[in-house]
Amino acid sequence: MTSYSRQEFLGADAQAVLLAASVGIVGYCGGGSHLGQQFAHVGIGRIRVFDPDTIEASNHPRLVGASPEDVAKGRLKTQIAERVVGNVNPAVTIETYNSKWEDAADALAECDIVIGAVDDYSTRDGLERFCRRNLIPYIDIGMDVHTLDSEHHFISGQVIQSLPGHPCLRCCNYITDEKLDREAERYGAAGPRPQVVWPNGVLASTAVGFAINLLCPWSPERRGFRFLSYDGNEGELVTPALVRGYLENHVCDHHPPTELGDPLCDIRSFCPYQQVESSSRSGFLNRWWMRLLNCRRETV
Ligand SMILES: [Zn+2]
């Protein structure tokens, strides 16, 4: 029996909201495994995990809950997700898809929030487009290790929250056509990138906080677009100046309202966020979000 008494500050009906919620995790390795474990602990009702891969020895140092036996038997990462989530919280419904997310798109479309913990820009780009079209908040996490000199390295990363009607991964230049082109040219040539467990933990934990704040807003922070840049050497997560300034009132033209949403659920009827006076935005965002959520539940 689980007691949620220490997280009652999330709201009187928080556990009911969390229990009714469905979170999609795309990619279950370094970042995704932290996500699954934490969403199970906090009491999310339904967790859907999308990953086609089996665990390899090089995954073990950062896949939370994985064992040497998993590696020896070449188990699917989704099998590890089922075991970890089931052990942490049997009340959670865990559904796994051993495929690319595109091959289980109907299941992903039913999620209330999607978090991408993937390696490449093209997958992120596709995920964000899919989430925009289906009116689903998308949260992206990722990390990189850069070589400074023969002995030293720099760990960077990001957590980005992308909501329909708000700036996107392209607005902040995290995804550009040039990056996608370079990635496509290198495809197959680039070896495995360096990854370690602790930055994944920081970034995934922050993403869980973003997701819970959307479902059970406990914080006054109500910006639709959130971008935290991670400096793993200093141990800092900061909002870049670009986001604080330019993007605060930026209208995204990469995903116009006419391209958003299911035809049965027209986002234009929700009064776009940008039309609201900035002074009343913080209260408005939450109401807007809840109406979206309710509409999606009625139409999905
Ligand atoms: Zn945009």
Side-chain angles (χ1 to χ4, degrees):
M1 190 69 185
T2 301
S3 168
Y4 294 106
S5 58
R6 304 289 284 269
Q7 57 187 50
E8 285 177 351
F9 72 95
L10 295 174
D13 61 348
Q15 270 337 115
V17 171
L18 296 175
L19 189 64
S22 170
V23 172
I25 300 171
V26 181
Y28 199 88
C29 199
S33 60
H34 286 275
L35 296 168
Q37 184 186 49
Q38 291 192 33
F39 282 127
H41 276 292
V42 82
I44 291 289
R46 184 181 304 272
I47 299 172
R48 290 185 165 172
V49 176
F50 304 76
D51 196 308
D53 295 332
T54 53
I55 184 171
E56 297 175 4
S58 63
N59 303 141
H60 183 249
R62 68 185 192 283
L63 203 163
V64 174
S67 69
E69 185 183 319
D70 292 329
V71 176
K73 296 198 170 181
R75 289 190 175 118
L76 289 161
K77 292 176 180 175
T78 51
Q79 286 179 287
I80 300 168
E82 286 174 354
R83 185 183 68 227
V84 169
V85 169
N87 284 343
V88 166
N89 192 343
V92 174
T93 300
I94 169 91
E95 296 171 352
T96 57
Y97 300 86
N98 311 319
S99 65
K100 292 184 175 181
W101 70 266
E102 293 94 328
D103 297 327
D106 289 348
L108 193 64
E110 290 175 1
C111 295
D112 297 316
I113 295 173
V114 169
I115 306 188
V118 298
D119 281 336
D120 56 282
Y121 290 113
S122 62
T123 305
R124 294 182 158 96
D125 193 40
L127 271 174
E128 186 184 48
R129 286 186 184 282
F130 179 85
C131 289
R132 291 270 169 156
R133 181 160 292 279
N134 287 281
L135 303 174
I136 305 170
Y138 174 65
I139 302 172
D140 186 276
I141 62 172
M143 63 157 284
D144 270 312
V145 180
H146 312 270
T147 299
L148 296 176
D149 56 43
S150 60
E151 294 182 2
H152 300 101
H153 299 84
F154 174 62
I155 296 178
S156 69
Q158 80 290 328
V159 186
I160 306 175
Q161 172 180 291
S162 165
L163 264 57
H166 296 266
C168 71
L169 299 183
R170 284 176 179 268
C171 287
C172 63
N173 284 327
Y174 181 68
I175 288 181
T176 64
D177 288 338
E178 291 74 26
K179 288 180 181 177
L180 291 170
D181 289 343
R182 273 206 306 275
E183 185 175 87
E185 288 169 11
R186 284 202 310 264
Y187 188 78
R193 298 213 312 259
Q195 294 275 318
V196 279
V197 67
W198 68 92
N200 283 321
V202 172
L203 299 165
S205 297
T206 304
V208 171
F210 281 12
I212 302 300
N213 200 41
L214 286 171
L215 293 164
C216 303
W218 85 91
S219 153
E221 176 54 66
R222 292 289 182 277
R223 280 177 298 173
F225 181 76
R226 303 181 73 178
F227 186 141
L228 288 179
S229 178
Y230 178 58
D231 178 335
N233 293 38
E234 290 293 330
E236 288 181 342
L237 276 166
V238 296
T239 301
L242 170 76
V243 177
R244 287 214 178 277
Y246 168 66
L247 289 178
E248 287 288 326
N249 298 302
H250 178 71
V251 177
C252 171
D253 57 7
H254 304 104
H255 306 276
T258 50
E259 291 182 6
L260 299 180
D262 186 288
L264 297 173
C265 178
D266 189 344
I267 192 173
R268 288 167 291 185
S269 67
F270 290 122
C271 174
Y273 177 67
Q274 288 86 1
Q275 293 177 12
V276 178
E277 292 298 323
S278 59
S279 60
S280 61
R281 278 185 182 173
S282 47
F284 174 77
L285 175 61
N286 194 34
R287 293 196 297 279
W288 174 85
W289 155 247
M290 293 310 293
R291 288 180 64 187
L292 264 184
L293 197 62
N294 290 335
C295 180
R296 287 194 63 251
R297 289 203 167 123
E298 287 165 13
T299 55
V300 163

